[in-house]
Every structure is written in structure tokens, then in C-alpha cells.
Amino acid sequence: MTNPLSLLAERWHPTPQHVRRAALAALVMSVVIVVTGGAVRLTDSGLGCTTWPACTDGSVTPTPEMGVHGVIEFTNRMLTYVLSAAIGWFILAARCAKPWRRSLTKLGWSQFWLVVSNAVLGGITVLTDLNPYVVALHMVAALGLVWTAVLSWERSKEGDGAPHPLVAPGIQRFAQVLVAAIGALVLVGTLVTGAGHHPGSAGTWRIPLDYDRLAQAHADLVFLAVGLTLAALLVFAAVKAPPAARARVRELFVLLLLQGVLGFVQYFTDAPEVMVGLHMLGAAVIWGAALRVPLALRGRAAVPDRSAAAPAAELVA
């Protein structure tokens, strides 16, 4: 059975470098969409469009009466299409490359369906008048997209052979604990946001938890994450872990220190919008940086292409 993707694959054969650039573009856009989504909330534009999927009951686009808030919310919605285009580029490049790397096309389609599901979840946030739990889930789903995009980018630089460890199993487990700590840090951060400032629209209710206690729990997790990262620096050096893994831990350590300083300044200055926006950017970048650490602790060899032509059937889910 012939389909458009298999027809394109017969005529276009992008290089591995092209596939990596496409994967990187999808990753960059997955971070951008986190930041622009935060800008919607920080400018009180969360209900700039009063419904979903249209902007108002009578218009797909914002009307002049809705002012700048409608423009900001609608612009963020339109950036979803830019993100989808970047992911589509990656899917096509991965499919048409020779040999066809099915693992990359699967990751590309995973990104696509995450975008679709998160767009629906974004619509639910509007329809529920910015319920803070739904908003937090919307952020978590966006970071799930970052996770998949990071994995796609890293896998685009590797072969398709079975993964083989480059360090002892205990070191790999330690790296996984580090990622889990960073994940917990990000999750608690979404609760701090839901209980604190900048609800996204005037009068929106907040999570009924003590803001100061949540902020303290978040700070405690920062200290834990920094401590684990410092320990990873020492352990990786002692066991002579791969240079890439040691470099990634150093990058993560610096990013955590900068994010920690930013967070404390943000707390004691009553969370100004610019600081919160930078903090959200930092959260997305740190999450991606943490995910790259365990990926540097294993390798994958290339698998020889044993077929002259890839099967025509596509996996799209």
C-alpha cells in the first residue's frame, strides 16, 4: 500500500545532519511554547479568548473589543501550529532518511499526539475558567513534550542498536534518582504557581494550600537537587564517567544555581512578571538538561541497513 509519506521517501533523502536539525527545531519550539504559555498567564490573558476552539462564540479570531489580552492568547494558540510544523518537519525527515529509522518516526509521532492532547487540555483550562489544577496539568504535559523532544534529539545523534551501559548499574540508577528529584522540583513548582501570584485572569481562584509552605517545600527540593548534582559531579569524576556525562552534569549544576538565585529573588520581590517568566524558561531548560544526563551514560551502535527499500506501511500512533 502506497501513501504520501512513502512516495516522498522515494524522492527525498535528507542527511543525518538534516534530521538532527529538525529534531533540534522541534525541541526549541517545545521550550518556546512553555514560555509563551507562561506569558499568557503573566499578562492576565488566560481568558483573552473566552472559549475554545474558537476565540469567542461568534469569532474564530479575537475581536477589537477583546483588546491586547485576546491578541496574546490567540497568538499563543497560533504558535501551536508553528510547533506542529517543526514536529512535522522532524517526522518527514526521519521517515525519508536512508536507512529509515522507525524509532525516530515513532518519537516524532509521539510528539505530535502530545501536542494534540495538550491543545485539548489547554482548551479545557479556558472552559473551566483557568482551574489551577488543570493549568498545572497543562504545564506538566508541556514538560512531557520537552522530555520526548529531548529524547528525539539525542536519539537522532545515535545509532539504532541495543543500548549498552558505559558505567556501572549503580551509577545509572543514581542518574535516574537525579532526574526524579528534578521532576519532583518541577511538579512542586507548578503547585507553587497555582497557589501564588499571577492566576492568569482577575478573580481566578487559587489552589487552597499555604503559599509560603509550598514555596519552602520547593526551596527544599532545590537544595536536594543541587546536592545530588554536586554529588554526581564528584562521583562521575571518581569513576571516570564518559566526558559527555560529566559535561552535562556541570551544565546542570550551573543552571540549578542560576535558577535558585532567580527563585529566591523572585520570592522576596513579590514575584514580578519578568522574573516569573525567566523562571519558567529556566524550569524547561533544567528539565531538558537533567534528562540528557542518563542518556550520556549509555551508547548505541548503528545497525546496518539490510533492506534496499523500507516497507510502505506507516506507524502513526
Side-chain angles (χ1 to χ4, degrees), residues 59-83:
S59 175
V60 174
T61 60
T63 61
E65 295 77 18
M66 301 170 71
V68 67
H69 294 306
V71 173
I72 293 173
E73 163 66 2
F74 187 74
T75 299
N76 184 62
R77 293 186 183 188
M78 292 300 100
L79 282 174
T80 301
Y81 294 101
V82 179
L83 170 61

Side-chain angles (χ1 to χ4, degrees), residues 27-54:
L27 172 57
V28 170
M29 278 307 304
S30 71
V31 174
V32 168
I33 206 72
V34 170
V35 177
T36 58
V40 170
R41 180 169 57 82
L42 295 171
T43 57
D44 286 336
S45 303
L47 295 177
C49 287
T50 56
T51 189
W52 183 87

Side-chain angles (χ1 to χ4, degrees), residues 30 33-34 118 137-147:
S30 71
I33 206 72
V34 170
N118 209 22
L137 184 59
H138 191 42
M139 175 65 173
V140 171
L143 292 174
L145 175 63
V146 173
W147 185 343

Side-chain angles (χ1 to χ4, degrees), residues 154-247:
E154 292 296 329
R155 291 286 289 109
S156 72
K157 297 181 283 184
E158 301 175 329
D160 275 333
H164 57 274
L166 301 176
V167 293
I171 304 300
Q172 291 181 308
R173 287 192 291 270
F174 180 66
Q176 293 166 357
V177 169
L178 174 60
V179 171
I182 299 293
L185 174 64
V186 173
L187 287 175
V188 173
T190 64
L191 294 178
V192 174
T193 299
H197 310 282
H198 312 298
S201 184
T204 300
W205 67 281
R206 314 304 291 133
I207 293 176
L209 296 174
D210 186 85
Y211 174 74
D212 290 331
R213 288 182 180 273
L214 280 175
Q216 182 60 58
H218 189 55
D220 292 341
L221 285 171
V222 170
F223 291 127
L224 174 62
V226 170
L228 287 173
T229 307
L230 179 58
L233 277 172
L234 300 175
V235 170
F236 283 19
V239 302
K240 294 181 172 56
R246 283 180 278 172

Side-chain angles (χ1 to χ4, degrees), residues 111-131:
Q111 290 184 62
F112 173 77
W113 291 116
L114 277 169
V115 170
V116 171
S117 60
N118 209 22
V120 173
L121 192 56
I124 294 173
T125 65
V126 174
L127 298 177
T128 57
D129 294 327
L130 304 184
N131 181 298

